[in-house]
């Protein structure tokens, strides 16, 4: 195999239409002219996956997952064939493969399949013939030749796994953004592009709301040390490098600020302050598959206490129903839910060694008279639950307080 081999992944926005596809093809051509052998991974164009899902649910509100995979995989299949055609139009010899043809073998968990191995022979044979190989992202096949998909955003995972399987351990992820920013640049006008970010920081940013890369792809990249370069299809500029932290990488206290509106708060009032009751409540919820996140129990003065926690918004109704029943059985009071909340978080590996991050964040919120309803921390992040309509203001205030913006 030639020394220079590269994996380039183009997301849904980069192949949204013929013009974008042509831009992507020109990027591939650029690498080709520099003597690279190239594997391209594509997502379905634009909102195709959402539209296919909508269609399925319209026909059958409880669609079977095998058929969902059959259906959703077509989005990327169309995309890879069109990309091969676009490349051929640019004079680049290209061939497209579905995930199955590309040798991506997964387990049998439809819609959330895990890659078990990649049989690279077919890809390598085409590369040897000097062809650009375009692979449909987000999909694979089981050992029994059933088509599977890798979870939403799974084309990132395809790219990372291919970079590992082809032993290049580097891939470029193209989209319409120039990289990862210290905060959403649509909201914070002087947000700055991050040059290098550690896997753990990126994972926190992703899971806390900055939807740039699929979480699982980051976990796999971290495990196998695959360096990811997130960059723009519009500008030939260095974007953000996601990689393992090295000693020389600056341990900034706060790398970025992110937020999301995916959770709701549930409060159970007047819970008797007796051992075992919290256990009953949260055991019941976990048995029903409800993912509880932040939990706060207020101090009890008269031997009763209020307990609040957050759950994904999509689970509010189920949660309230379950919790009301428990509340009755343990002699607790009313149960409330609040969907008008959001989570704002600061992320940075430097927090491990620099004290005072929480204080600074709370001060920034206080300076805008924003009330903190709940707090949680991990070793590299601090999150607060606040009113949803204060999120943007909070984002700007915290970003400024930590001096993360570009100087103008
Ligand atoms: N098309 C799939 C999705 O929308 C996979 C991807 O875009 O990476 O989730
Ligand atoms: Mg994506």
């Amino acid at each position: 195999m030639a020394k220079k081999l590269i994996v380039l992944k183009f997301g849904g926005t980069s192949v949204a239409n013929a013009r974008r596809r042509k831009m992507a093809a020109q990027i591939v051509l650029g690498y080709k002219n520099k003597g690279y052998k190239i594997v391209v991974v594509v997502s379905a164009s634009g909102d195709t996956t959402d539209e296919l899902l909508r269609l399925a649910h319209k026909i059958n509100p409880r669609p079977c997952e095998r058929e969902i995979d059959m259906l959703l995989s077509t989005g990327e299949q169309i995309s890879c064939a069109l990309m091969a055609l676009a490349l051929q139009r640019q004079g680049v010899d290209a061939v497209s493969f579905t995930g199955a043809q590309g040798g991506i073998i997964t387990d049998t968990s439809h819609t959330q399949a895990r890659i078990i191995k990649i049989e690279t022979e077919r890809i390598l044979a085409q590369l040897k013939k000097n062809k650009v190989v375009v692979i449909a992202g987000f999909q694979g096949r089981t050992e029994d030749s059933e088509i599977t998909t890798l979870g939403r955003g799974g084309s990132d995972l395809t790219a990372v796994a291919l970079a590992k399987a082809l032993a290049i351990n580097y891939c470029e992820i193209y989209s319409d953004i120039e990289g990862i920013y210290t905060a959403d640049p649509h909201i914070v006008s002087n947000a700055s592009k991050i040059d290098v970010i550690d896997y753990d920081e990126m994972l926190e940013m992703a899971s806390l709301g900055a939807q740039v890369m699929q979480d699982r792809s980051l976990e796999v990249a971290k495990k196998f040390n695959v360096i990811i370069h997130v960059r723009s299809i519009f500008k030939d500029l260095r974007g953000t490098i996601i990689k393992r932290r090295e000693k020389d990488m600056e341990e900034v206290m706060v790398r970025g600020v992110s937020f999301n509106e995916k959770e709701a708060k549930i409060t159970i009032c007047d819970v008797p302050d007796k051992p075992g009751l919290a256990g009953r409540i949260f055991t019941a919820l976990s048995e029903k598959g409800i993912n509880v996140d932040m939990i706060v129990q207020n101090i009890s003065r008269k031997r009763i206490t209020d307990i609040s926690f957050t759950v994904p918004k999509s689970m509010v109704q189920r949660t309230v129903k379950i919790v009301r029943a428990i509340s009755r059985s343990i002699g607790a009071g009313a149960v409330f839910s609040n969907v008008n909340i959001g989570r704002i978080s600061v992320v940075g590996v430097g927090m491990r060694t620099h004290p005072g991050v929480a204080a600074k964040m709370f001060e920034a919120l206080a300076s805008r008279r924003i009330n903190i309803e709940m707090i949680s921390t991990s070793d590299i992040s601090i999150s607060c639950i606040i009113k949803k309509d204060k999120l943007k203001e909070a984002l700007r205030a915290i970003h400024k307080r930590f001096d993360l913006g570009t100087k103008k």
Side-chain angles (χ1 to χ4, degrees):
M1 188 51 54
K3 266 183 250 127
K4 286 163 76 183
L5 176 62
I6 194 161
V7 174
L8 309 173
K9 180 248 167 181
F10 295 97
T13 51
S14 318
V15 292
N17 52 43
R19 204 171 54 84
R20 294 271 176 98
R21 213 173 277 116
K22 187 171 168 191
M23 292 174 76
Q26 278 162 348
I27 291 170
V28 178
L29 179 61
Y31 275 104
K32 182 92 193 159
N33 290 339
K34 285 188 209 149
Y36 279 86
K37 301 219 176 220
I38 306 149
V39 174
V40 174
V41 175
V42 285
S43 290
S45 75
D47 299 330
T48 307
T49 309
D50 289 325
E51 274 161 28
L52 291 172
L53 270 175
R54 224 173 287 133
L55 186 65
H57 283 269
K58 217 162 122 190
I59 293 168
N60 185 337
R62 306 190 61 183
C64 117
E65 291 184 331
R66 179 192 182 275
E67 302 309 328
I68 287 292
D69 279 353
M70 288 295 287
L71 182 67
L72 296 194
S73 59
T74 63
E76 269 71 11
Q77 186 172 344
I78 292 171
S79 196
C80 74
L82 292 177
M83 188 59 161
L85 291 172
L87 284 164
Q88 289 164 5
R89 179 79 196 267
Q90 300 280 324
V92 178
D93 200 2
V95 59
S96 67
F97 283 153
T98 63
Q101 290 173 319
I104 297 175
I105 314 297
T106 73
D107 65 11
T108 56
S109 21
H110 283 292
T111 76
Q112 284 294 338
R114 291 182 173 270
I115 298 177
I116 302 172
K117 61 178 173 192
I118 302 186
E119 294 170 347
T120 51
E121 296 78 16
R122 223 170 149 182
I123 297 175
L124 291 174
Q126 295 297 327
L127 289 174
K128 212 167 168 189
K129 287 190 213 158
N130 267 326
K131 292 198 189 213
V132 170
V133 183
V134 187
I135 311 252
F138 174 59
Q139 56 180 269
R141 71 164 172 85
T142 66
E143 307 266 15
D144 294 333
S145 297
E146 288 284 77
I147 291 177
T148 49
T149 63
L150 309 177
R152 294 306 304 270
S155 302
D156 293 336
L157 181 58
T158 306
V160 168
L162 277 166
K164 153 80 175 82
L166 296 166
I168 9 180
N169 285 30
Y170 171 75
C171 65
E172 300 195 343
I173 305 278
Y174 286 85
S175 74
D176 55 357
I177 58 168
E178 280 171 40
I180 316 292
Y181 283 81
T182 49
D184 183 344
H186 298 111
I187 302 168
V188 180
S189 59
N190 72 337
S192 42
K193 198 178 76 202
I194 300 171
D195 290 330
V196 185
I197 187 169
D198 169 76
Y199 292 119
D200 290 321
E201 287 172 327
M202 191 60 224
L203 266 164
E204 288 272 337
M205 296 274 275
S207 65
L208 295 172
Q211 300 287 9
V212 181
M213 293 276 306
Q214 186 212 32
D215 289 15
R216 272 176 56 201
S217 69
L218 290 166
E219 276 156 17
V220 171
K222 180 184 171 189
K223 184 165 165 198
F224 296 111
N225 218 357
V226 175
I227 295 172
I228 299 167
H229 185 177
V230 176
R231 56 192 312 197
S232 156
I233 61 158
F234 300 119
K235 290 184 192 160
D236 186 14
L237 292 176
R238 189 183 140 118
T240 300
I241 303 283
I242 309 172
K243 65 173 191 177
R244 181 171 294 171
R245 194 162 52 86
E246 285 158 12
K247 285 211 182 63
D248 61 340
M249 228 159 116
E250 193 194 358
E251 277 222 342
V252 293
M253 194 159 75
V254 169
R255 186 79 62 188
V257 193
S258 69
F259 73 94
N260 75 62
E261 301 175 359
K262 289 187 283 198
E263 290 160 288
K265 183 169 102 171
I266 311 284
T267 302
I268 318 173
C269 302
D270 302 337
V271 180
D273 193 8
K274 278 192 276 186
L277 292 189
R280 268 177 73 180
I281 297 167
F282 293 109
T283 305
L285 290 171
S286 83
E287 276 167 1
K288 297 271 161 47
I290 291 171
N291 231 336
V292 171
D293 199 355
M294 285 189 197
I295 303 175
V296 173
Q297 178 176 334
N298 293 339
I299 31 162
S300 110
R301 286 213 208 90
K302 298 179 187 147
R303 307 211 57 76
I304 52 169
T305 161
D306 293 346
I307 298 179
S308 293
F309 55 92
T310 62
V311 294
K313 256 185 196 153
S314 58
M315 297 196 167
V316 173
Q317 278 163 355
R318 277 178 62 202
T319 308
V320 168
K321 216 169 129 197
I322 296 166
V323 174
R324 283 210 170 119
I326 301 173
S327 171
R328 271 193 299 274
S329 75
I330 62 176
V335 175
F336 298 105
S337 64
N338 183 356
V339 292
N340 293 315
I341 57 152
R343 176 192 292 243
I344 180 123
S345 313
V346 295
V347 177
V349 285
M351 252 178 233
R352 292 182 183 134
T353 47
H354 295 80
V357 176
K360 236 172 157 178
M361 177 179 189
F362 302 159
E363 263 168 41
L365 293 171
S367 73
R368 303 296 158 106
R369 301 186 158 279
I370 297 171
N371 188 38
I372 301 171
E373 299 187 24
M374 297 167 110
I375 300 165
S376 82
T377 61
S378 78
D379 69 340
I380 63 163
S381 74
I382 301 168
S383 300
C384 295
I385 295 290
I386 60 173
K387 278 207 178 73
K388 188 169 129 183
D389 59 9
K390 295 282 183 191
L391 280 171
K392 290 184 181 166
E393 190 183 348
L395 185 70
R396 290 187 197 107
I398 295 170
H399 193 266
K400 185 157 178 219
R401 185 71 179 80
F402 286 99
D403 209 13
L404 296 172
T406 49
K407 312 281 175 288
K408 284 186 176 159

